[in-house]
Amino acid sequence: MGHVYPFHLAIIAVAITLILAFELLASRRVKSSEDMLVSGRSLGLFFVACALAAEYMGGLGTIGVSERAYKEGMGVIWYHISASTGILLFGLMFAHYYRKYGIQTIPEYLYYLFDVKTWKVNALLNFLAYTFFTVIEVVALGSILAGLTGLSIKFCAISAAVFVTLYVLAAGMWSIAYVSLFYMALIYLGLPLAFFYVLRFAVPNLPGADGVAGFQGLAGAMTAKGMDPAFWFSPFSLSPMTVVGFFVGGILAVPAAQATVNYAFGAKNWKIARLAPILAAFLIIPLSVWTGTMGIYAKTAQLTDEPKLALISTLTSIPPLIGAMGALAIVAAIISTADSILFAAASILAKDLMQRWWRPHADDATVLRWTRYSVIIVGAVATLGALTVPELLKQAYFVYTLRAVTLVCVFFGIYYRRAHPDAAFWSIIVGFVAATLYQFDIPIDYKPYLFNLHVSVVTVLVAVPVFLAISMLRKWTPDTSSTPPPLYARR
């Protein structure tokens, strides 16, 4: 156990109390499985926008951005610009389709576009991927809480998993919608406040700043340390290929992610489903400036030699109240990602695997009960996984391959008239197998021969030709699709 920060613990305890109060309100709105899974399809513009934005302000968007800025400068702002681009494309090109047909999961939508076998394989693989992703988020949250409080990582990981599981269990998507508003308030209060304090009051005290505040004073301190401010403040401090990678990742990771699409399913109508991502995209962009600047400050002030601790070191070096508010904003950002990922896995388990695949004639009360069981199951797996298989985190981004290949299927299913169900099925299988071989170097290391491309890019490069080739070679007829899944009704 490291140093304990009592004030940070107190602030987090107050926030947890408020969140539990929100959950009591949210739980009163759950009367059916549809209330639990998609908030009764009654979420307004700000609920959807805040939930979407909060999901993409997680550990990578806070701790990860400050770490990258510490090492490579403010070119990291392209991370959130690329995420915003992906969310904009989701809103403009996909969200209204998802909402229009009254479905509740991405695999369901693939049945609407294709057939049963595509639905089943996508449901199974996505459930496994999102469950694994939940483990990753719990570990990340536990690590951050340990750094902020001085408590052990194991204790923090267990506490984080139990806490997120319990409040999602209370009211499902209503839980996430209610607390997302609270999280966004914390993020937009805590991080700008810490950012302002650092520039206005901490920077003038740095050697070389000569009492000057703001970016001018920070530039003076950097120059005194032999750092070139023109480079560190430049939006082009990262390599072009890194920036391209950000955009490819942002575009591939968002439009077909169950955790993201959930909010389109829960929107009041297709117009809100389409407009909310546009608002969310603009809410995300300032985050890189706040966290990136504090990462550069940590390097200039020599607060730590460990880039991953740049943001935490900055927040624990300023007055306790302001630092605690900033720390709470980080915790809120990471929890808002963890709850979305956990609920995505639980939704697919309850709706696709339990109800439609296993017991298609179950009544609504049973489906509601299964949804709660699913949340508990995913939460329990995440807790055990976080404690027993942390080494798997090295392959964390492998889960994005499922998002990428699902996006290929959704895109062609909507916009390509000759899209064939067999093409969707085999592009998922072949794309996933190719990604597995590439990521885990089976039987050789392919990366040097493929320019060290991100695994999700490799997945798309394999899946797209497979999809197009089969669609061109196979003729589509009304009888091409298999028997529809139980309870499915075209709308």
Side-chain angles (χ1 to χ4, degrees), residues 233-485:
F233 289 152
S234 171
F236 305 106
S237 65
L238 271 63
S239 70
M241 286 305 298
T242 299
V243 175
V244 170
F246 284 163
F247 275 93
V248 171
I251 291 169
L252 294 180
V254 178
Q258 178 69 34
T260 301
V261 176
N262 267 340
Y263 307 118
F265 296 149
K268 282 184 180 179
N269 52 55
W270 69 267
K271 292 181 180 179
I272 288 177
R274 191 171 195 176
L275 288 174
I278 298 173
L279 176 58
F282 286 99
L283 287 172
I284 291 170
I285 290 177
L287 197 63
S288 288
V289 177
W290 302 333
T291 56
T293 300
M294 287 189 277
I296 292 175
Y297 169 80
K299 183 179 185 70
T300 307
Q302 294 183 308
L303 298 180
T304 178
D305 293 327
E306 175 53 61
K308 290 182 183 297
L309 300 178
L311 187 53
I312 293 175
S313 297
T314 298
L315 295 174
T316 53
S317 71
I318 59 180
L321 177 59
I322 298 174
M325 291 300 297
L328 185 57
I330 297 173
V331 173
I334 298 174
I335 292 178
S336 65
T337 302
D339 60 15
S340 299
I341 300 297
L342 185 151
F343 190 64
S347 296
I348 293 173
L349 176 58
K351 198 65 183 174
D352 289 292
L353 302 182
M354 284 187 169
Q355 184 193 15
R356 295 189 183 278
W357 197 338
W358 180 46
R359 293 280 299 277
H361 302 295
D363 59 24
D364 190 72
T366 301
V367 177
L368 176 59
R369 186 168 63 253
W370 283 348
T371 304
R372 290 199 163 104
Y373 290 162
S374 298
V375 172
I376 294 171
I377 290 169
V378 176
V381 170
T383 304
L384 293 174
L387 295 176
T388 58
V389 289
E391 65 274 10
L392 292 180
L393 295 180
K394 296 177 182 178
Q395 309 295 346
Y397 46 83
F398 181 64
V399 300
Y400 285 99
T401 60
L402 266 299
R403 295 185 180 187
V405 77
T406 300
L407 177 60
V408 170
C409 295
V410 171
F411 178 82
F412 283 121
I414 293 173
Y415 294 106
Y416 182 46
R417 290 187 176 182
R418 293 189 59 178
H420 194 282
D422 290 348
F425 175 80
W426 285 109
S427 66
I428 292 173
I429 297 296
V430 175
F432 183 74
V433 170
T436 303
L437 297 177
Y438 179 81
Q439 181 63 25
F440 296 98
D441 303 328
I442 302 172
I444 63 170
D445 183 1
Y446 302 91
K447 296 176 183 64
Y449 303 101
L450 294 174
F451 309 102
N452 290 304
L453 292 172
H454 190 285
V455 65
S456 62
V457 178
V458 173
T459 305
V460 171
L461 291 177
V462 172
V464 168
V466 169
F467 194 105
L468 292 175
I470 294 178
S471 292
M472 291 176 182
L473 294 173
R474 301 291 300 274
K475 182 179 180 181
W476 191 94
T477 70
D479 298 325
T480 300
S481 297
S482 306
T483 306

Side-chain angles (χ1 to χ4, degrees), residues 42 45 69 91-92 99 122-123 138 202 220 340 360 371 374 382 471 478:
S42 59
L45 178 65
L92 295 175
R99 178 63 186 85
N122 190 264
V138 167
S340 299
T371 304
S374 298
S471 292

Side-chain angles (χ1 to χ4, degrees), residues 48-69:
V48 178
C50 287
L52 270 173
E55 182 191 347
Y56 287 91
M57 290 181 171
L60 286 177
T62 53
I63 301 295
V65 165
S66 65
E67 175 189 358
R68 200 70 180 260

